[in-house]
Amino acid sequence: MIVLGIESSCDETGLALYDTERGLLSHALHSQIAMHQEYGGVVPELASRDHIRRALPLLQEVLSQAKLDKHQIDAIAYTQGPGLAGALLVGASVACGLAMALDKPIVGIHHLEGHLLSPLLASQPPQFPFIALLVSGGHTQLMRVDGVGRYQLLGETLDDAAGEAFDKSAKLLGLSYPGGPAISRMAEFGDPAAYKFPRPMLHSKDLNFSFSGLKTAVLTVVKNQPANICEQDKANIARGFVDALVDVLVAKSITALKENGLKRLVIAGGVGANQQLRTALNAAAAKRRYQVYYPELEFCTDNGAMIAFAGAMRLQQNPALATRDYGFNVRPRWPLHELQT
């Protein structure tokens, strides 16, 4: 079965073709970072319009890469939510219109499920069950994953997501959007002893997170600096922030593994590409003989490959999920526990 995946939930347009026998055949991605950079964040209306411009050329690109004709597609999977409503509508309309024209079944995919399953695209995928740390600009969650569609929420952020804290703290330091990679690069040159920021909810005795207080602590320190703060002091603040956030993510992840009696940890989402987080998780896991799995770097951020793969897994597990009802709807807010299994 060859599944076309379409991702358009935020500021990346991603399409991919996945074959249940041969694996990932092709994928193509367009990032809107350059377009949104001058605004310091994603502008939803601009994002939607750009998805419209990019979707069909990317479709031709993945078909060409895979040396396939569009009629050889067996099913189409698209991101139904959560995400920006206008952006989701573009992907849904392209998917449903194409499926109707080709008389192919469609299936709506939960964006977070795509991220949760993306490490299974790696050359050495993890085996179920495992603990998943989902860290991105919009989500920070710990989940137990026992199989496709079998997800148990263990803890989540009560306010800002980790990626959001990265972006907002980077903006306080005058760094360009997207802030996560920028503040992480700057932190590499900082003194870890210069600033000790709080580790929010580190000892809360649960698996929830909170990062708004950490962001406020960075704001307070920045306000107390001279107007012409030097680059070294910026690097020191960045290092203190990154160390604090990473310490919390690592500690909660290790606790989740202990409490569930599991030894496999999967990292998913854009923040999963962060080198400081990877280094700290690898060190903590090695001490306890745990295994940590990451998606390929190209699949950490939003992409069509994870949607095509999730769609293929869903349809293999339950073919009844496929429909030829092309009257589509999207779910900008969609709790993962409401997924149909």
Side-chain angles (χ1 to χ4, degrees), residues 269-281:
V271 180
N274 180 274
Q275 196 55 54
Q276 290 97 330
L277 176 61
R278 289 189 174 212
T279 299
L281 280 170

Side-chain angles (χ1 to χ4, degrees), residues 81-140:
L84 300 175
L88 290 168
L89 283 167
V90 175
S93 61
V94 170
C96 293
L98 183 62
M100 183 169 66
L102 299 175
D103 190 25
K104 303 293 184 181
I106 56 169
V107 60
I109 296 298
H110 195 294
H111 179 74
L112 299 187
E113 181 173 44
H115 276 302
L116 284 176
L117 299 180
S118 61
L120 299 179
L121 286 164
S123 56
Q124 294 183 312
Q127 299 294 311
F128 297 116
F130 54 77
I131 297 297
L133 172 64
L134 178 59
V135 274
S136 67
H139 302 88
T140 302

Side-chain angles (χ1 to χ4, degrees), residues 278-291:
R278 289 189 174 212
T279 299
L281 280 170
N282 289 340
K287 287 181 183 177
R288 300 162 178 84
R289 297 186 179 180
Y290 294 153
Q291 295 171 290

Side-chain angles (χ1 to χ4, degrees), residues 72 90 107 123 134-135 141 145 171 222 230 241 245-247 261 265 319 338:
Q72 293 175 272
V90 175
V107 60
S123 56
L134 178 59
V135 274
Q141 298 177 325
V145 179
K171 193 171 185 178
V222 171
C230 69
F241 163 78
L245 188 143
V246 165
D247 283 353
L265 176 67
E338 292 182 4

